[in-house]
């Protein structure tokens, strides 16, 4: 996807019909070793707390919040299209996960990542 100017981005909850597109979207990140592989069953389990970023009707970002307990949740599988990085999409996706955790009364949100600086910048 070529970027011209600032992208018009919509962050929304994932729907069941998005699962195939999400799997296709994250596959290159898995191939590059940047994300762990996710089966369709795992993606389905993450559905209630997963979000996509869309631009021009295309998925350009994905993230899921896995809730372990009322105390702890994890930001999982954060990915943003390389051409659209550094436009705040990843931050918006993480913020939506934190908002969801707050809605659920979860006390702590963690991320296991190789992009520690990014997550530190998110707070």
């Amino acid at each position: 996807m070529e970027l011209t100017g600032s992208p018009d981005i919509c962050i929304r909850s994932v729907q069941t019909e998005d699962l195939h597109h999400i799997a296709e979207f994250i596959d290159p990140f898995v191939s590059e070793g940047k994300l762990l592989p996710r089966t369709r069953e795992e993606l389905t389990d993450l559905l209630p707390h997963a979000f996509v970023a869309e631009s021009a009707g295309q998925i350009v970002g994905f993230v899921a919040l896995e809730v372990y307990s009322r105390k702890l949740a994890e930001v999982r599988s954060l990915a943003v299209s390389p051409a659209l990085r550094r436009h705040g999409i990843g931050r918006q996706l993480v913020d939506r996960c934190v908002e969801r955790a707050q809605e659920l009364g979860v006390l702590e949100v963690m991320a296991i990542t190789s992009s520690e600086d990014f997550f530190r910048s998110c707070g």
Side-chain angles (χ1 to χ4, degrees):
M1 172 178 277
E2 189 173 318
L3 178 63
T4 56
S6 182
D8 184 24
I9 301 297
C10 169
I11 307 293
R12 65 170 178 80
S13 295
V14 170
Q15 305 298 316
T16 303
E17 55 271 14
D18 295 323
L19 290 176
H20 174 74
H21 299 290
I22 291 167
E24 286 181 345
F25 175 75
I26 66 172
D27 188 54
F29 297 92
V30 172
S31 296
E32 294 171 9
K34 294 182 178 182
L35 288 181
L36 295 173
R38 301 282 173 231
T39 65
R40 182 157 177 104
E41 182 178 301
E42 287 174 310
L43 289 173
T44 300
D45 289 345
L46 293 171
L47 183 73
H49 310 299
F51 304 93
V52 291
E54 284 185 326
S55 178
Q58 299 292 313
I59 293 174
V60 297
F62 172 74
V63 71
L65 181 72
E66 184 162 4
V67 179
Y68 298 118
S69 69
R70 299 257 314 158
K71 286 185 170 187
L72 183 64
E74 179 183 0
V75 174
R76 310 258 327 241
S77 301
L78 176 64
V80 175
S81 293
L84 295 175
R85 290 188 187 146
R86 304 214 179 273
H87 286 81
I89 297 169
R91 175 70 180 251
Q92 290 178 62
L93 289 165
V94 170
D95 286 349
R96 190 60 192 101
C97 284
V98 171
E99 290 169 11
R100 176 60 54 88
Q102 290 171 339
E103 291 165 5
L104 298 170
V106 174
L107 300 176
E108 186 174 353
V109 177
M110 69 168 185
I112 298 171
T113 181
S114 62
S115 302
E116 187 174 335
D117 291 339
F118 169 76
F119 282 98
R120 283 191 190 278
S121 75
C122 292

